[in-house]
């Protein structure tokens, strides 16, 4: 069984590693426009990271009509990914592809 599942728009692609999942989300899904500032970022992990590193929780809640559970879920997912992923290698690989 795969360890990571893509949850973007019901995609449900499964990968063995978190790095593969981030690569999938970045290359196989359309980009996401931040509803707070308009920045275009890859959907999935990078969109979550952008939202919580560039904006306050209150801005996220207002822009996405989110509740505290949605914030907690995304914060936990971000922490889990960052604890396991080799993000430098993912970014280097994505840069090499582009």
């Amino acid at each position: 069984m795969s360890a990571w599942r893509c949850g973007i728009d019901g995609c449900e692609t499964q990968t063995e590693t978190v790095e593969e999942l981030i690569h999938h989300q970045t290359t196989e899904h359309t980009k996401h426009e931040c509803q707070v500032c308009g920045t275009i970022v890859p959907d999935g992990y990078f969109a979550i990271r952008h939202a919580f590193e560039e904006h306050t929780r209150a801005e996220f809640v207002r822009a996405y009509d989110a509740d505290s559970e949605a914030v907690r879920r995304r914060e936990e997912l971000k922490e889990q990914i960052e604890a396991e992923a080799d993000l430098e290698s993912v970014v280097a690989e994505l840069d090499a592809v582009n």
Side-chain angles (χ1 to χ4, degrees):
M1 177 153 202
S2 299
W4 293 90
R5 182 183 56 81
C6 181
I8 297 172
D9 296 329
C11 172
E12 297 193 27
T13 292
Q14 296 183 350
T15 64
E16 292 297 323
T17 68
V18 67
E19 292 86 1
E20 291 171 330
L21 176 66
I22 294 169
H23 186 272
H24 160 79
Q25 291 178 334
T26 302
T27 60
E28 300 298 321
H29 291 281
T30 59
K31 303 293 185 229
H32 172 79
E33 180 179 354
C34 176
Q35 298 301 301
V36 177
C37 68
T39 298
I40 305 296
V41 294
D43 208 350
Y45 166 73
F46 286 119
I48 292 170
R49 184 174 86 173
H50 170 82
F52 291 115
E53 290 185 2
E54 300 298 323
H55 307 294
T56 66
R57 301 320 182 246
E59 289 173 321
F60 177 83
V61 167
R62 281 191 303 272
Y64 291 94
D65 195 27
D67 59 17
S68 60
E69 178 59 29
V71 171
R72 275 193 300 279
R73 201 169 44 249
R74 285 165 179 80
E75 287 177 326
E76 289 169 2
L77 182 58
K78 180 180 175 290
E79 288 176 16
Q80 185 180 9
I81 289 170
E82 291 173 350
E84 187 166 328
D86 179 354
L87 294 172
E88 287 182 19
S89 71
V90 172
V91 170
E93 181 181 333
L94 290 168
D95 285 345
V97 171
N98 294 323

